[in-house]
Amino acid sequence: MSAVADTRTLKTDSLLLTTALIWGLAFTAQRAGMEFVGPFTYNAVRFALGALSLLPLLIFFRPPAPGAQRGPANAGEQLDRRQNRVRFLRDGAIAGALLFGGSSFQQVGLVYTTAGKAGFITGLYVVIVPIVGALLGRRTDRGRWTGAILAVIGLYFLSITRSFTIHRGDFLVFLCAFFFAAHVLLLSRLSRLWNPLQLAAVQYLICSLLSFAVAIPTESMAIGAILQAWLPIFYGGVFSVGVAYSLQVIAQREAHPAHAAILLSLEGAFAALGGFLVLGELLSPRDILGCTLMLAGMLASQSSTIRAGLRARA
């Protein structure tokens, strides 16, 4: 491999590792923020900031509006443009609603569980996506099912008590993984139809509005409390949503699939590290075993992608 290729690989791997680090530490910020505000208030302000943080990219790249085309249009073309805009807003609203469901279950779950455990359980969407795809008729392989089995065993050690009940917070975060899996499956289709930056901004805005709709009647949205939580909210909105999303898009244009799968799966490990360093959260030996099995399951579920990436690099 040439020195130029080595440098490019190092650059993309560094961006992916930074993305995983930012996302992992976001679990710590999410827990810290709820010392001052409720979960829906946190998400409402966080995703509003996330949408605003994409404005510079939208202005810099200036993607065409959905359905736009150069030159004058006749009546039929104008109708097509309006219909495209309506379809774009509809798709963005659906994606935003799924993002709202996932982020809400995750944020409320974090009230009752640790950042580290939430990070690993959320990562189950990596395993759920191919399984749901298989149920919808898509081809799958042995690695996907092996990963699912390992992840389920890991979840048992991490979250199921000796009396065979699951911790409340862990169960809520477990539900969020299904919403995020549905969100990933939807975006895999929508990203081929619409500009990803525009789609991201719309879904973040929808998620913020839905969070405000729940927070206003159920939580105390005091400005003073929001200002006290400004640092966790700023990190969760600007860094976790805006910066990390942009880094992932830039890196995965040239990254080897094997590297992307492995590095992004470290999000859970960084969540546990952040919870330990910042919040003083500790994992028991049983928790560590569960996290290890879940991480192995995430990697096994991506084994075909990893092998394909390694073959392409050879």
Side-chain angles (χ1 to χ4, degrees):
M1 184 179 292
S2 66
V4 174
D6 283 337
T7 301
R8 185 182 298 115
T9 298
L10 180 61
K11 176 183 176 181
T12 56
D13 285 359
S14 298
L15 292 177
L16 288 169
L17 185 63
T18 302
T19 300
L21 175 63
I22 292 174
W23 281 343
L25 295 182
F27 287 94
T28 302
Q30 288 170 243
R31 273 190 60 97
M34 286 189 295
E35 293 181 9
F36 308 99
V37 297
F40 291 99
T41 299
Y42 181 88
N43 274 343
V45 182
R46 169 196 179 192
F47 280 99
L49 283 177
L52 288 174
S53 71
L54 292 181
L55 282 180
L57 294 175
L58 290 169
I59 294 172
F60 179 78
F61 290 109
R62 292 185 181 276
Q69 61 186 51
R70 294 181 180 179
N74 57 38
E77 290 173 335
Q78 290 177 351
L79 178 61
D80 287 342
R81 293 181 186 182
R82 286 196 295 270
Q83 290 175 338
N84 274 343
R85 292 190 186 99
V86 170
R87 284 192 289 267
F88 168 74
L89 292 175
R90 178 202 63 195
D91 290 347
I94 295 172
L98 289 174
L99 184 62
F100 165 75
S103 61
S104 297
F105 277 117
Q106 182 189 76
Q107 195 66 31
V108 176
L110 276 165
V111 175
Y112 308 102
T113 191
T114 65
K117 292 172 70 174
F120 279 100
I121 297 173
T122 299
L124 279 175
Y125 78 88
V126 175
V127 181
I128 296 171
V129 166
I131 293 176
V132 174
L135 295 176
L136 295 176
R138 299 181 183 180
R139 292 184 60 185
T140 188
D141 55 39
R142 188 179 301 172
R144 311 288 192 187
W145 297 109
T146 302
I149 293 171
L150 287 172
V152 169
I153 296 173
L155 181 64
Y156 168 79
F157 283 107
L158 188 65
S159 303
I160 305 298
T161 66
R162 300 187 186 279
S163 58
F164 291 97
T165 58
I166 188 169
H167 293 294
R168 180 181 182 182
D170 295 346
F171 179 69
L172 292 173
V173 178
F174 178 65
L175 293 179
C176 97
F178 285 90
F179 277 89
F180 286 140
H183 183 254
V184 168
L185 289 168
L186 178 65
L187 289 188
S188 68
R189 183 177 67 86
L190 297 185
S191 60
R192 296 191 294 268
L193 301 176
W194 312 113
N195 179 276
L197 282 176
Q198 291 178 327
L199 183 63
V202 170
Q203 68 173 352
Y204 295 155
L205 181 60
I206 294 296
C207 182
S208 174
L209 291 175
L210 291 174
S211 298
F212 270 118
V214 177
I216 290 173
T218 61
E219 297 176 356
S220 175
M221 298 184 63
I223 298 298
I226 294 175
L227 292 176
Q228 284 183 295
W230 76 268
L231 184 56
I233 291 176
F234 182 83
Y235 183 93
V238 175
F239 284 92
S240 178
V241 175
V243 174
Y245 167 81
S246 303
L247 290 179
Q248 183 192 24
V249 171
I250 293 170
Q252 290 202 246
R253 288 176 179 173
E254 299 183 358
H256 292 291
H259 293 204
I262 293 171
L263 292 172
L264 291 178
S265 68
L266 293 175
E267 175 186 352
F270 286 128
L273 180 63
F276 170 71
L277 294 177
V278 179
L279 303 176
E281 297 175 350
L282 298 176
L283 294 175
S284 68
R286 180 185 172 95
D287 293 335
I288 293 173
L289 175 60
C291 291
T292 302
L293 288 170
M294 292 184 73
L295 181 58
M298 294 173 204
L299 293 175
S301 71
Q302 298 295 313
S303 59
S304 59
T305 301
I306 293 172
R307 288 195 300 270
L310 293 175
R311 284 196 297 269
R313 185 181 182 186

